[in-house]
């Protein structure tokens, strides 16, 4: 089937303006969480047609991977070195949750969801959606106050710049080789040379 990738294109076209407009870290993370939440709303809606669910899941996995990897390599890495215990703890909690998310995402790719939409696929997509929704809420309610407490304005600007550049690289790389990874290779630790 022909998968629609309009959300991915919209996201891809937003990085440069966000860099130029020096959008803040919390604002940009909120915006990327918003894209994920839009996908979750479709994936958990019982009325949505299967073809739409396939398209949304395809885009959801790309955005999820892009956001999670870029977040780990910039924000989580910074919080992990913080003097504040809760900030270090929250970065480890976030990473553990990402690892569960990667595992479920790999299983969905292995089910070939873009070719066939089984009950197993539907169930796994629902579980992934619920876990991601909880993860996003936790970041917004518990991590954002720590970001404000532990990261200076200057450091935030640096993290935002790195985060957006990594998003650009990850999304570009994934749109060139869509869903090429499978179990245990879902989360490449580095981008190819
Ligand atoms: Fe996260
Ligand atoms: Fe996040």
């Amino acid at each position: 089937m022909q998968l629609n990738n309009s959300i991915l294109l919209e996201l891809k076209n937003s990085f440069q303006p966000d860099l130029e407009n020096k959008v803040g870290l919390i604002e940009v993370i909120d915006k990327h969480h918003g894209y994920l939440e839009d996908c979750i709303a479709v994936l958990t809606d019982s009325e949505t047609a299967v073809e739409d669910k396939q398209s949304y899941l395809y885009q959801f996995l790309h955005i999820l991977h892009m956001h999670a990897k870029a977040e780990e390599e910039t924000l989580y890495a910074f919080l992990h070195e913080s003097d504040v215990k809760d900030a270090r703890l929250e970065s480890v909690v976030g990473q553990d949750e990402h690892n569960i998310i990667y595992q479920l995402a790999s299983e969905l790719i292995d089910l070939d969801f873009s070719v066939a939409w089984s009950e197993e696929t539907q169930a796994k997509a629902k579980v992934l959606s619920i876990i991601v929704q909880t993860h996003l809420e936790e970041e917004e309610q518990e991590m954002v106050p720590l970001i404000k407490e532990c990261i200076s304005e200057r450091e935030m600007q640096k993290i935002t710049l790195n985060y957006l550049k990594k998003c650009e690289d990850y999304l570009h790389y994934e749109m060139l080789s869509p869903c090429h990874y499978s179990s245990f290779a879902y989360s490449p630790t580095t981008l190819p040379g």
Side-chain angles (χ1 to χ4, degrees):
M1 70 173 290
Q2 182 66 41
L3 289 165
N4 180 347
N5 66 353
S6 58
I7 307 172
L8 297 181
L9 290 173
E10 184 187 311
L11 181 58
K12 188 174 157 62
N13 290 331
S14 73
F15 300 139
Q16 205 49 43
D18 282 353
L19 280 168
E20 283 164 14
N21 296 328
K22 294 192 170 28
V23 173
L25 179 62
I26 292 166
E27 195 183 330
V28 83
I29 283 181
D30 256 5
K31 179 166 151 179
H32 293 179
H33 283 186
Y35 280 107
L36 293 169
E37 279 163 345
D38 289 347
C39 295
I40 289 171
V42 172
L43 292 170
T44 52
D45 175 35
S46 54
E47 304 293 306
T48 303
V50 163
E51 302 82 67
D52 290 335
K53 288 200 173 175
Q54 286 171 307
S55 267
Y56 272 81
L57 182 57
Y58 171 81
Q59 297 182 91
F60 182 56
L61 294 182
H62 279 66
I63 301 167
L64 195 54
H65 187 254
M66 170 211 86
H67 171 67
K69 292 304 293 178
E71 189 175 62
E72 287 166 19
E73 291 169 10
T74 58
L75 176 61
Y76 285 12
F78 190 91
L79 292 176
H80 197 257
E81 299 306 314
S82 173
D83 294 336
V84 179
K85 186 183 165 208
D86 284 350
R88 293 196 302 274
L89 188 66
E90 203 50 44
S91 76
V92 177
V93 168
Q95 182 65 60
D96 281 349
E97 289 177 353
H98 283 189
N99 292 343
I100 292 168
I101 288 167
Y102 295 145
Q103 180 58 44
L104 277 168
S106 291
E107 288 172 21
L108 273 163
I109 292 167
D110 289 345
L111 285 172
D112 254 344
F113 67 86
S114 56
V115 177
W117 190 266
S118 63
E119 284 178 13
E120 192 183 354
T121 307
Q122 173 72 34
K124 222 175 267 297
K126 187 175 174 185
V127 174
L128 179 63
S129 297
I130 293 166
I131 291 176
V132 172
Q133 183 67 50
T134 308
H135 176 70
L136 301 182
E137 283 165 15
E138 188 178 322
E139 283 186 342
E140 286 162 18
Q141 286 160 20
E142 297 186 31
M143 197 177 272
V144 166
L146 290 164
I147 292 173
K148 290 178 180 161
E149 181 189 332
C150 306
I151 310 182
S152 71
E153 198 50 50
R154 223 176 125 213
E155 285 163 339
M156 266 208 237
Q157 283 174 8
K158 236 167 88 182
I159 293 172
T160 313
L161 182 75
N162 286 337
Y163 169 80
L164 279 168
K165 284 187 170 167
K166 280 181 184 286
C167 283
E168 205 167 22
D169 287 346
Y170 274 116
L171 197 62
H172 176 70
Y173 165 56
E174 294 193 15
M175 285 173 81
L176 288 178
S177 1
C179 294
H180 65 290
Y181 24 67
S182 184
S183 298
F184 305 108
Y186 181 65
S187 170
T189 45
T190 48
L191 289 163

